[in-house]
Amino acid sequence: MAKESPGCSCGDPWGYLPPELRPKQKKASSLREARCPGCGKLFWTNRETDYCFDCEKRQGG
């Protein structure tokens, strides 16, 4: 059985390039989609609550 060469791109399409020339990976977003239980608005948030800013203000939170 033949050994894979260090430049083999099996499984990694950029494996033959040196690290400084490889495309940068995109950072995973911390945002999630939520529906406000107060008004039903669909929005993106990184907060733990599902309430939109408007409903959260009305509730005093």
Side-chain angles (χ1 to χ4, degrees), residues 37-51:
C39 67
K41 184 189 304 183
L42 190 61
F43 64 101
W44 290 89
T45 184
N46 62 351
R47 301 179 309 140
E48 295 204 9
T49 182
D50 284 344
Y51 284 97

Side-chain angles (χ1 to χ4, degrees), residues 5-57:
S5 65
C8 178
S9 61
C10 300
D12 183 5
W14 307 106
Y16 62 92
L17 290 174
E20 61 273 4
L21 295 178
R22 293 180 189 164
K24 304 292 182 208
Q25 291 184 353
K26 292 182 181 179
K27 183 179 176 183
S29 176
S30 63
L31 293 177
R32 63 181 178 87
E33 194 171 23
R35 183 171 300 274
C36 177
C39 67
K41 184 189 304 183
L42 190 61
F43 64 101
W44 290 89
T45 184
N46 62 351
R47 301 179 309 140
E48 295 204 9
T49 182
D50 284 344
Y51 284 97
C52 68
F53 287 115
D54 296 332
C55 290
E56 192 174 29
K57 285 181 197 174

